[in-house]
Amino acid sequence: MDVPAQGIIRSRIANACDGCKARKVKCDGKTPCSYCIRRQRPSTCKYSHPRRTRQRHAADAARTPTSTASPRASRSSPPSTAAAVRSTRATSLDDDGHSVVAGHGTRHIGSAARRSSVMEEDDTEVPLEARLLCDAQGKLIFIGDCAPLSFFQSVRQLVTSRVGQNAFAPETSRYSVLENAPAAPVASHEPSPPALCQEGIRLAVQDYVLITTGLVDLFDEKLESDVAFWASHQRAENLTTTIHYLVLAIGLLKTDEATSRTYFEYGKAQAFNSLNGSMGVGTVHAFILVTVYMLCSCQINNAFLVFGIASRAAYSVGVHRTEVNARFGPEIHRQRDRTWKSMRIVDLFLSVSMGRPPATSDVDCTVPYRATDLEGNEVFDLLNASVQIMLITEGIVTEIYSRKKISLQLTEGISKQLREWSERWLHPLKDVLSLPGDHTKAQISGACQVLASYYYAVMLVSRPFLMYELFRRLGDEPNAARYPAMSNGKSKLADACIEAASMMVDPIAELIEQRVLHRRMPLLVSWLFASSLVLGVGLLGNFGRILEKYTRISIQALDHFAQSDTHATQYSLIAQSLLNTALEHLEKRELQERLRRTESSSQLFGLIPQENRARGSAASPATQANSTAASPAVSASQRRHSLFDRSLFNPQSTVPSPRGGGDLDPSSFFGSGDVFGGLDANFWSNQGNEDPSSALNLFPLLEGGGGIDLAHYL
C-alpha cells in the first residue's frame, strides 16, 4: 500500500559557512558550526555574504539597451559592469616609457556588461594574502598581497592543510624577523665627523658601486676620485660630507661593519639636520642613501618610512619634471633625471616587496625612461632597463592584485609588455653575463639584478594560476570539485611561473661561483626567496622532479647571502623545510603507487603467500585501526633531517618496503579488500588469443644474421 506523500518541514538556514559550501555538506548556521567543530577547526568557520544580488544586477545591466543609457546612468553602473570595463584595460608604456592605461578602443558599457558573465567564468581569483606580521620588537606590521612574505604564508597554509600539519619546522612555521634588532646604537652623533681610514676608501667606493648598480645611480663616474679627494682634504660639515659618509657606510658593510655603523649614524643625523634649512638634490640623495643602507641592513620597514621623506623632498625640488631639470645645464639635468629614475626603482621595490602603495607616481612626471641614439635605437642603459621592468611590475600589482581577479584577456596585455621588454633588453643583459671579461663586476651585478626583476614580474603575473593548480592537485575530492582542471592557456601560465623561477636561479648561482655578487643585495634576496617558494611548491605539486635540483641551487644561493643577511638565513631555512616536505610527500605517494601496482601484479606468480592474504582479509577494521594508531609517529625533530642526506623511513618504521619479497603484505597498507578487484581467473587463457606476430623479440641484434661486432670487448 502506497503511503501518500506528506509535507515534510525542513529547517533551512539563510547562509552556510564557507567550509560547508566548499565541501557541499549541511551546515547548522552556528558560529562555529558543528561540522567545523568536528573537524577541530573552529577558527576557520567563516561566513561570506551571498553574491546573488550582484549577479542579478549584472544580468539586468546586460539586458539594458545601450542606446537608452544616459551618461548619468553609465556613471552609476553596477560594480560588475565597472569590473568588466576595467578588465578590458591594460597597462602599457608610452614612447617615454611611462606607464599608461590603454583601452582596446571605444567600447559601450552595455556590451561590456553582456560579457561580464563570461568574464566571471574566465577569471581566476587572486588569493587574498595580506597579513599582519610581527617585527623584531613584537609590533604588528602590514604586509600586502603581492609581497613574498604573504606568498610564504599562503604556501605554509596550503602545505599544512593539504600535506601535513607539521610540514614546516617549528623555527620556520612563523616568520617574525621583518627587521633585525639593531645593534647597540651610538650614544649620540659626534659634533665632528668621524675619523677616516684612507687606505680602504677606494675599495669601499667600489663595493658601494657593486651593491647599487641597477638599483640607484646618483653620481657620475668620478665618484671614486671625488671621495678620495674629499677624504684627503679639509672636510666641511655640509651635505657633501653627509653623502660621502653614507656612501662609505654602504661600501664598508662587507669589510668593517662597526665603522660602517658609525659612519651611517653620523650621516643619518646630518641628513635629518639638513631638513631645517633649504632643501636641494643633496637632501634627496642623502635620504635615498639612508634607505639603501637600511635595506642592506635588513631594516626594510624603517627603509620604507625613511623613503617617504626622500619622495617628498624630491617633489619639493622638482626632480620629477625634466623641463625643470634642464634649466641647470646638461650635466645637472642628467643627474637629476637619473635621481628620479633611481627613486622610482627603490620605491617600487619597497612597494612590491612589502605589498604597500608606492610613494611616487608618474601622474605629473615628464622624465623620460628611454634613451635613443641618432638612428632611433634604444641605448643600452641598466637604469632604464630596471625602471622599465619595475613600471611593468607596478602595473601587475595595480591591475591584478588590487582587483583580486585575473583573466586571460588581462594577462595577455601584460604578457605583451613583458615580451616587448624582453625583445629590447633580454639579449643585451645576457650578453653582459656571458662576457664577463668585457664588463666590470658592477655592470654584471646590475644586469643580474635587472634580470631577476624581470623573472619576478613573470612569476608575479602567473602566480595566481599556479596557486589555483596547486589547490586542485593537493586538494581532496570536494576541493577538487571547487577547482576544476584549468584550460590549456591557464595551465601554461602555471608552468611559466615555475620556468621563470628556475631561470632566475641559474645566473645567480653562476655569478656566486665566480665571486661577482656582493653578500648585501636585498633585491636579489627578496626575489630569490620567492623563486625558492615557487620551485618548492612546484616540486610538491608534481610539476617535475628536476625542480629538486633548482630548489637546492636556490637554497645554496640564499646561504651565500646569509653570511651577512639574516633575512636570507630565515629564507634558507624556510626553503629547506619546504623542500624536505615536498620530497617526503613525493616518496610517500610513489610508495603508495608502487604498493598498488604490487597488489595488482603479485598474484600472477604467487609473490604474496595465500596465508598472508587470508590473514589480512580476516583482520577486522577495528584491529587495523588499533594497529595503525599504535604505529610510532615520526617526531618533528626526525622530520627535520639534513637537506642533502635524507632518510625518509627509519629502520624501525612499520611501513612495508616494496622490496620485502615474501614478507610484503599490502593488506596491512590498504586494508583487507583487494584494491583492483583481484586477479581474473581467465587472465592467462585470455592471453592465448594474442596475435603471434605481436610477440616481443628478445634478441633484436640477431635479426640481421647475427653480425655482432665484439671487437671492442676483446
Side-chain angles (χ1 to χ4, degrees), residues 430 433 448 451 455 499-514 517 528 531 535 546 549-551 553-554 557:
K430 287 189 174 182
L433 300 181
C448 182
L451 271 179
Y455 291 131
E499 289 299 323
S502 60
M503 289 181 176
M504 181 193 298
V505 169
D506 276 336
I508 295 177
E510 292 178 2
L511 293 181
I512 290 176
E513 291 180 359
Q514 299 172 9
L517 293 181
L528 191 61
S531 68
L535 293 170
I546 188 63
K549 168 191 171 184
Y550 291 105
T551 307
I553 295 175
S554 67

Side-chain angles (χ1 to χ4, degrees), residues 263-456:
Y263 290 174
F264 170 71
E265 292 293 339
Y266 173 79
K268 183 179 68 172
Q270 294 299 318
F272 279 100
N273 290 337
S274 68
L275 296 177
N276 298 328
S278 58
M279 290 186 298
V281 178
T283 306
V284 180
H285 288 177
F287 281 100
I288 292 177
L289 293 174
V290 171
T291 302
V292 173
Y293 182 92
M294 289 181 171
L295 284 175
C296 295
S297 301
C298 303
Q299 302 177 31
I300 188 170
N301 194 57
N302 286 347
F304 182 82
L305 299 177
V306 170
F307 186 81
I309 302 176
S311 64
R312 292 305 173 188
Y315 279 118
S316 299
V317 298
V319 296
H320 62 295
R321 301 293 294 269
T322 188
E323 63 272 13
V324 175
N325 299 335
R327 298 180 180 179
F328 297 91
E331 186 175 351
I332 303 299
H333 180 199
R334 178 183 179 276
Q335 183 190 39
R336 288 170 66 100
D337 280 359
R338 298 183 76 80
T339 298
W340 175 254
K341 297 175 188 178
S342 302
M343 291 196 60
R344 288 292 282 156
I345 295 171
V346 176
D347 184 27
L348 292 176
F349 166 67
L350 287 169
S351 174
V352 175
S353 60
M354 303 207 59
R356 300 175 183 176
T360 59
S361 68
D362 289 335
V363 173
D364 193 34
C365 171
T366 59
V367 175
Y369 297 143
R370 292 178 180 173
T372 57
D373 55 15
L374 297 178
E375 298 178 357
N377 300 321
E378 188 157 7
V379 179
F380 178 77
D381 191 334
L382 285 176
L383 196 68
N384 286 345
S386 182
V387 71
Q388 288 177 25
I389 192 60
M390 283 297 186
L391 290 177
I392 298 176
T393 307
E394 181 185 27
I396 294 172
V397 175
T398 303
E399 294 295 326
I400 295 176
Y401 288 86
S402 298
R403 293 179 64 242
K404 312 303 180 189
K405 281 191 176 183
I406 181 173
S407 63
L408 290 177
Q409 184 178 7
L410 181 59
T411 309
E412 181 183 0
I414 298 175
S415 65
K416 180 181 178 182
Q417 301 173 50
L418 291 171
R419 289 194 304 269
E420 292 175 351
W421 186 95
S422 175
E423 292 174 357
R424 292 193 304 268
W425 297 108
L426 194 58
H427 286 297
L429 291 173
K430 287 189 174 182
D431 289 341
V432 174
L433 300 181
S434 60
L435 300 173
D438 299 340
H439 304 86
T440 63
K441 284 187 176 181
Q443 292 174 335
I444 298 172
S445 175
C448 182
Q449 293 199 80
V450 176
L451 271 179
S453 298
Y454 163 68
Y455 291 131
Y456 183 74

Side-chain angles (χ1 to χ4, degrees), residues 23-51:
R23 291 167 178 81
K24 293 181 170 52
V25 297
K26 186 176 181 180
C27 184
D28 57 6
K30 298 179 181 180
T31 306
C33 68
S34 58
Y35 182 80
C36 294
I37 293 176
R38 289 197 303 271
R39 296 178 64 244
Q40 299 181 355
R41 293 185 180 181
S43 60
T44 62
C45 186
K46 298 180 181 179
Y47 292 83
S48 59
H49 296 288
R51 302 181 180 179

